[in-house]
Amino acid sequence: MARLHVSNHPLAIHKLTQMRSVQTDHRSFRALERELALLMSYEVTRDLNLTANQVETPLGIAEGGSCRETIGLVPVLRAGLGLVDGVMELLPSVQVWHIGLYRDEETLRPVEYYNKLPTEPTVNVCIVLDPMLATGGSAVATIDILKRWGVRRIKYMGLIAAPEGVERLRTAHPEVPIHVAAVDRELNEMGYIMPGLGDAGDRQFGT
Ligand code: PRP
Ligand code: URA
């Protein structure tokens, strides 16, 4: 089973704490999310493959490495959009493939409304971006789509998970590593993560 990685980096904890605060406005929320995504992408990409190479310095030849993986970011609309820019600061040449899902308020099941993936996969690693792993339904559905597309390596990057969501994602896709900044206490009766940060899409976009 792939690992659950919970960041214990002090800056990640600091920024997530600020994001959670009810006092944080939309603009600051987006800025913090971008910074947190950059910090977390350093951890998420830790095991990417390197091709050994050499480089000429002013004084000689240095052994080095070059990352030639083709990486796709898969933000889950809407809230996943807020994680894209931070990851792209570190990985400017990634492809970005959007998947649109919303949770039906009654059933809490994900409903797909946007998917323009081409027939054949164009990347060999996908990083699913969605700040909230609540029941896990949206993450499982997104990874189902990516597996049907034919992607072999998939990673999940979020900010806050509920234990229920972690369990569901690990059961459905045990080989997918899960990277989050925190695992919170539980889901409430409406399917929100407690204490969480509220509705991530609404907090980003002021809706
Ligand atoms: C939120 C969040 C996830 C989903 C998580 O999206 O961004 O996609 O809920 O819940 P789950 O783990 O129970 O599936 P939401 O449906 O609110 O849509 P939005 O991003 O457009 O606001
Ligand atoms: N989606 C959110 O935006 N927040 C939650 O707590 C759960 C699902």
Side-chain angles (χ1 to χ4, degrees), residues 126-139:
C126 274
I127 306 175
V128 175
L129 303 177
D130 191 336
M132 310 305 276
L133 180 61
T135 65
S138 303

Side-chain angles (χ1 to χ4, degrees), residues 76-80 101-103 108 110 113 130-139 191-192 199-202:
V76 181
L77 305 177
R78 293 174 301 164
L101 297 176
Y102 69 87
R103 274 200 325 181
L108 297 184
Y113 63 89
D130 191 336
M132 310 305 276
L133 180 61
T135 65
S138 303
Y192 278 85
D199 186 304
D202 287 350

Side-chain angles (χ1 to χ4, degrees), residues 9-206:
H9 194 293
L11 292 180
I13 295 168
H14 178 88
K15 289 180 192 302
L16 181 64
T17 304
Q18 289 183 310
M19 283 183 76
R20 287 179 188 273
S21 169
V22 69
Q23 311 286 356
T24 298
D25 63 18
H26 309 313
R27 190 175 174 189
S28 308
F29 188 93
R30 284 194 298 273
L32 288 161
E33 189 171 11
R34 177 192 174 109
E35 292 163 1
L36 196 41
L38 191 154
L39 289 173
M40 290 192 61
S41 55
Y42 184 73
E43 295 177 351
V44 174
T45 52
R46 181 170 284 281
D47 61 352
L48 291 181
N49 293 320
L50 275 183
T51 307
N53 67 1
Q54 293 183 327
V55 65
E56 187 178 354
T57 79
L59 300 176
I61 301 295
E63 302 298 328
S66 157
C67 183
R68 304 228 176 105
E69 305 249 38
T70 49
I71 301 169
L73 302 184
V74 184
V76 181
L77 305 177
R78 293 174 301 164
L81 289 174
L83 297 169
V84 173
D85 285 355
V87 181
M88 286 187 88
E89 298 245 340
L90 213 59
L91 301 170
S93 55
V94 291
Q95 300 176 22
V96 182
W97 295 104
H98 302 84
I99 300 283
L101 297 176
Y102 69 87
R103 274 200 325 181
D104 181 286
E105 284 180 12
E106 303 276 305
T107 64
L108 297 184
R109 293 223 180 96
V111 181
E112 184 178 334
Y113 63 89
Y114 185 82
N115 175 352
K116 290 274 186 191
L117 294 173
T119 325
E120 296 294 323
T122 55
V123 294
N124 57 31
V125 184
C126 274
I127 306 175
V128 175
L129 303 177
D130 191 336
M132 310 305 276
L133 180 61
T135 65
S138 303
V140 169
T142 304
I143 294 168
D144 286 342
I145 292 168
L146 296 177
K147 285 188 173 174
R148 283 199 294 276
W149 193 35
V151 181
R152 290 193 306 277
R153 279 182 79 194
I154 302 172
K155 293 160 170 276
Y156 176 90
M157 177 178 139
L159 297 184
I160 305 181
E164 296 91 329
V166 172
E167 181 62 30
R168 181 151 169 203
L169 179 49
R170 293 180 107 179
T171 302
H173 298 294
E175 78 291 1
V176 173
I178 303 172
H179 294 260
V180 289
V183 177
D184 276 9
R185 196 170 64 233
E186 61 191 353
L187 292 178
N188 70 11
E189 64 286 354
M190 310 277 287
Y192 278 85
I193 301 174
M194 295 297 291
L197 51 69
D199 186 304
D202 287 350
R203 292 205 60 189
Q204 273 178 61
F205 298 114

